[in-house]
């Protein structure tokens, strides 16, 4: 068990996806798979998202195998098996594979047959039983609890147990049609929750430790091994094949046009969906992503279906509605006022316009769906975007200044705390900025700041706020954006910035480090900024020019106003006998990881450590008590937090593993520091807020609610 007297440094950093261009990806596949590359290309033609998922899983397995120092032969088997583990989806009908929603029982049964189909496909060209066993048993549960046969526990091949963990982690941290991507920490918590039942508990702990240690280098290091270690000097042929000058210039012009059109669609306030002649979605812009709460990454490549969006027009006669099929069939434009159903059950009035895309001889090649929100209610994103009412700007860069950022951050935190949606913060800092001023002068430093701010503005979306936080540090405030999406956006900005030459720096490039976090239960303006700043510091510690995300993004259900009023009235009638709030939390994360999370909680809340004894920790922290009033009238009171850590064995049923699965139990107690604070009728709500924040930081569940 860990010792609270040695609170270790470090935090859980984020995984950054390996984002290679198509040609580089093809090179990696050709090196790793050889003649079997055609199998992977077939899968990519069938369903690009599944192929991309397989490549990420293979790279992740490669790095993990290197950490475990597995024999080269086993590592090769694992990498190839991971690349082809979903090859069986070639036989899956499109109506199931591309279905925009949850699968029925029959459809799930079809998907469950894919691993067996993959083994049949590979058995025809592969005689390595070890590789086939990895595929064959990768869907088997560690405890055998899914009725997957007699092979379970440590009798399962090591590669199969590793593949199951990495595959599940990547699925959870990738946007799907039916849900948004999980944050890294939430995905790790889910792995621990299933450890001992679905996954090998020892391997889950080791994989969590791998994610703790510079995960931003994971995929790049695996790619270097594939191209260099496996192929040697011949791997450089990708870079030596230069196209003809005229062809390169034409390709560059085409790329610029595509980027312009992409940026134009993404910055439009109206929802825009591009659909080809077969009804397949090729573009889903940010405005429509925000309207529907369906991620673009999950929809590209899917077949458009009217069931995706619940259209409702009671005034229209039967069949007289705006529809894609009518547009593609007749080649005519369709337009109508509709009501669009949202995931939360609400409806929004919209204008729907399907515009045909005509090619040669006026043949219909596709359509554009343009959806305009015509409701008069101003969203929070629009309020943040309309900051010019009171806004002040930074004199050098033209973006919002620190005071305006603080005001907007308060609005966004209130928005997220009310349960209206996610909200994320990106803090970024130019790397080694002092050397820029020292070597090139302050004017060159100013030019670098202006260039960096312009990159941030170019990548901002409707409702975002770009602000100069101080010196060379900038902030990007993203309401309606979760942790995983914000991390991907930060990686795009980082990659773009490192390729832009700076004329005032002798045409050299600058780089920046990024810290990303999302609002979670119990957060205030100060805690969300402190957590993003910790992520930024870790990115710099890990070598700069990195993106690191922190925070689980877990949020408690928000009580209704009537429930709160009932609670206050009850307090007036019957004074509370105790102002103390207690809760028992439980998590499958090992106690060492829980201690590290506690360290982050202490740092972000600026708490004072009063006493540490064995597994008991006493803290003093200041908390806002007026949780639902105006921020300028909020009161801050001191609270006493007592935390006890313990471990207990978890019954997991029969399996072949020798290790015993343990879970960490946290007993938390919060009470006012001063007796006069007990007269504050909101003090109990503030205590519960502290417990909710602690639960979010520790990625725990309630064993006993406060």
């Amino acid at each position: 068990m860990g010792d609270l007297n040695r609170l270790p440094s470090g935090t859980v950093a984020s995984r950054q996806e390996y984002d290679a261009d198509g040609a580089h990806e093809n090179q990696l596949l050709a090196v790793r798979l050889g003649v079997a590359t055609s199998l992977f290309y077939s899968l990519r033609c069938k369903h690009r998202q599944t192929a991309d998922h397989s490549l990420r899983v293979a790279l992740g397995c490669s790095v993990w195998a290197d950490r475990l120092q597995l024999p080269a032969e086993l590592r090769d088997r694992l990498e190839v098996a991971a690349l082809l583990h979903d090859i069986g989806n070639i036989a899956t009908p499109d109506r199931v594979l591309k279905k925009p929603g949850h699968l029925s029982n029959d459809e799930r049964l079809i998907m469950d047959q894919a691993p067996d189909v993959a083994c049949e496909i590979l058995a025809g060209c592969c005689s390595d039983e070890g590789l086939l066993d990895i595929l064959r048993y990768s869907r088997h549960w560690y405890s055998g609890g899914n009725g997957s046969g007699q092979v379970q526990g440590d009798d399962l091949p090591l590669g199969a147990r590793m593949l199951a963990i990495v595959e599940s982690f990547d699925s959870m941290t990738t946007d799907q049609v039916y849900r948004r991507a999980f944050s890294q920490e939430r995905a790790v918590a889910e792995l621990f929750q299933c450890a001992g039942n679905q996954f090998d508990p020892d391997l889950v702990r080791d994989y969590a430790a791998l994610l703790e240690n510079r995960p931003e280098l994971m995929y790049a290091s695996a790619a270097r091994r594939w191209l260099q270690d496996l192929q040697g000097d011949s791997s450089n042929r990708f870079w030596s094949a230069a196209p003809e000058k005229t062809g390169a210039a034409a390709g560059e012009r085409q790329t610029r046009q595509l980027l312009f059109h992409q940026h134009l669609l993404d910055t439009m306030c109206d929802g825009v969906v591009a659909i080809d002649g077969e009804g397949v979605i090729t573009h889903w812009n940010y405005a429509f992503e925000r309207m529907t709460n369906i991620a673009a990454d999950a929809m590209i490549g899917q077949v458009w279906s009217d069931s995706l969006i619940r259209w409702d027009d009671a005034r229209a006669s039967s069949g007289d509605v705006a529809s894609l099929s009518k547009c593609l069939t007749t080649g005519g434009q369709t337009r109508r006022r509709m009501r669009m159903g949202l995931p939360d059950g609400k409806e929004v009035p919209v204008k729907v316009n399907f515009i045909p895309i005509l090619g040669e001889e006026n043949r219909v090649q596709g359509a554009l769906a343009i959806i305009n929100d015509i409701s008069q209610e101003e969203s929070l994103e629009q309020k943040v975007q309309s900051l010019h009412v009171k806004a002040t700007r930074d004199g050098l860069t033209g973006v919002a200044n620190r005071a305006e950022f603080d005001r907007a951050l308060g609005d966004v935190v209130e928005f997220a705390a009310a349960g209206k949606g996610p909200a994320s913060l990106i803090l970024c800092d130019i790397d080694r900025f002092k050397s820029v001023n020292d070597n090139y002068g302050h004017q060159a430093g100013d030019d670098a700041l202006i260039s960096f701010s312009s990159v941030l503005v170019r990548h901002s979306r409707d409702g975002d706020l770009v602000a100069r936080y101080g010196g060379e540090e900038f902030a990007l405030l993203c309401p309606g954006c979760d942790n995983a999406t914000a991390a991907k956006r930060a990686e795009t900005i980082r990659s773009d910035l490192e390729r832009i030459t700076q004329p005032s720096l002798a045409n050299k490039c600058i780089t920046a480090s990024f810290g990303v976090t999302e609002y979670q239960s119990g957060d205030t303006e100060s805690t969300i900024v402190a957590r993003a700043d910790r992520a930024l510091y870790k990115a710099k510690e890990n070598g700069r020019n990195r993106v690191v995300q922190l925070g689980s993004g877990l949020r408690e259900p928000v009580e209704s106003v009537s429930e709160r009023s009932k609670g206050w009235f009850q307090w007036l009638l019957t004074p509370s006998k105790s102002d103390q709030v207690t809760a028992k939390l439980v998590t499958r994360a090992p106690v060492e990881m829980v201690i590290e999370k506690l360290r982050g909680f202490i740092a972000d809340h600026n708490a004072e450590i009063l006493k540490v004894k064995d597994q008991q920790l006493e803290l003093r922290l200041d908390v806002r008590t007026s949780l639902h009033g105006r921020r300028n009238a909020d009161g801050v009171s001191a609270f006493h937090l007592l935390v006890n850590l313990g471990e207990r064995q978890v019954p997991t049923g029969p399996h072949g593993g020798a290790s015993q699965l343990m879970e960490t139990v946290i007993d938390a107690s919060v009470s006012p520091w001063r007796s006069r604070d007990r007269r504050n009728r909101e003090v109990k709500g503030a205590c519960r807020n502290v417990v909710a924040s602690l639960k979010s930081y520790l990625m725990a569940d309630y064993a006993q609610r406060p």
Side-chain angles (χ1 to χ4, degrees), residues 396-409:
L396 176 64
T397 62
V399 300
N401 63 10
R402 172 65 179 273
E404 190 58 32
F405 167 79
D406 290 340
R407 192 195 73 80
L409 178 63

Side-chain angles (χ1 to χ4, degrees), residues 620 622 636-639 671-679:
R620 180 189 186 276
D622 296 328
V636 176
S637 300
F639 287 82
S671 58
W673 185 264
R674 293 179 291 267
S675 58
R676 64 181 178 85
D677 288 332
R678 298 188 177 96
R679 296 192 297 270

Side-chain angles (χ1 to χ4, degrees), residues 42-177:
S42 300
L43 176 62
R44 192 161 62 184
C45 291
K46 173 76 172 182
H47 196 234
R48 179 62 189 246
Q49 291 90 333
T50 300
D52 292 343
H53 161 74
S54 297
L55 180 57
R56 291 193 303 268
V57 171
L59 290 167
C61 287
S62 180
V63 176
W64 193 9
D66 184 58
R67 167 188 169 87
L68 295 176
Q69 298 182 347
L70 298 184
E73 186 177 359
L74 176 56
R75 183 173 177 178
D76 290 345
R77 286 196 186 102
L78 175 59
E79 291 169 353
V80 174
L83 274 170
L84 300 177
H85 77 277
D86 274 337
I87 197 68
N89 283 333
I90 291 177
T92 303
D94 285 347
R95 64 178 176 81
V96 177
L97 188 61
K98 300 180 180 180
K99 182 179 180 180
H102 290 283
L103 301 179
S104 66
N105 291 335
D106 291 340
E107 292 166 340
R108 173 57 61 186
L109 182 61
I110 294 175
M111 291 295 295
D112 289 342
Q113 294 173 349
D116 295 333
V117 176
C119 289
E120 291 179 9
I121 293 174
L122 293 181
C125 59
C126 175
S127 59
D128 191 321
E129 285 298 322
L131 190 153
L132 295 176
D133 282 345
I134 292 177
L135 285 176
R136 188 174 292 117
Y137 297 112
S138 62
R139 301 295 176 93
H140 285 218
W141 283 27
Y142 185 72
S143 65
N146 65 339
S148 53
Q150 299 299 318
V151 181
Q152 56 184 289
D154 292 342
D155 292 335
L156 291 168
L158 175 60
R161 286 177 274 150
M162 294 173 64
L163 176 57
I165 292 172
V166 180
E167 195 273 338
S168 296
F169 180 81
D170 185 80
S171 296
M172 287 188 287
T173 53
T174 303
D175 283 316
Q176 308 291 344
V177 176

